[in-house]
Amino acid sequence: MEPVSLLVGAGIAATGYLIGRVGRWRSVRSRRSGAAALESGGPQPVCGCEHGLAFHDPQTGACHATVQRPTKFDKVYGPVAFEAVPCTCRHYVGPVPLDEVFAPQITD
């Protein structure tokens, strides 16, 4: 065999090994960050519009938060000016707190 082909093969094998190690390191790191999120109080009640449960009306489910909509754009950097507009979310679709699932509200 030629020495050049042996070096190319060794380089390919080393590259594959390093890519595998980095991928495994990233997955371990993401599992650790997920465990830290659970230890910090569990999942946060966030809707698809990225607003919390507190921003949504309990009766209608409409969102009362504001979002930033871009109004001016730069050719290179993207949006440069924003305006605050009401969120168009009509119903909360995030995780439901356990007290609403297992314990109905007491009415007099």
Side-chain angles (χ1 to χ4, degrees):
M1 284 202 181
E2 293 180 48
V4 175
S5 62
L6 288 175
L7 289 175
V8 169
I12 291 172
T15 303
Y17 176 76
L18 290 175
I19 290 173
R21 295 291 290 179
V22 169
R24 189 176 316 141
W25 178 73
R26 285 185 180 170
S27 66
V28 168
R29 186 174 172 191
S30 66
R31 277 188 256 138
R32 286 182 184 163
S33 65
L38 289 176
E39 290 173 1
S40 68
Q44 298 297 320
V46 176
C47 184
C49 65
E50 298 182 356
H51 296 120
L53 179 60
F55 288 105
H56 292 80
D57 186 15
Q59 281 77 27
T60 63
C63 185
H64 296 291
T66 59
V67 294
Q68 299 291 324
R69 183 181 344 178
T71 57
K72 292 183 181 178
F73 294 88
D74 187 8
K75 290 182 180 179
V76 178
Y77 299 110
V80 294
F82 298 90
E83 69 176 341
V85 295
C87 183
T88 58
C89 178
R90 298 288 176 213
H91 184 68
Y92 177 75
V93 293
V96 179
L98 289 177
D99 59 345
E100 291 183 14
V101 174
F102 293 111
Q105 291 185 340
I106 299 173
T107 57
D108 291 327

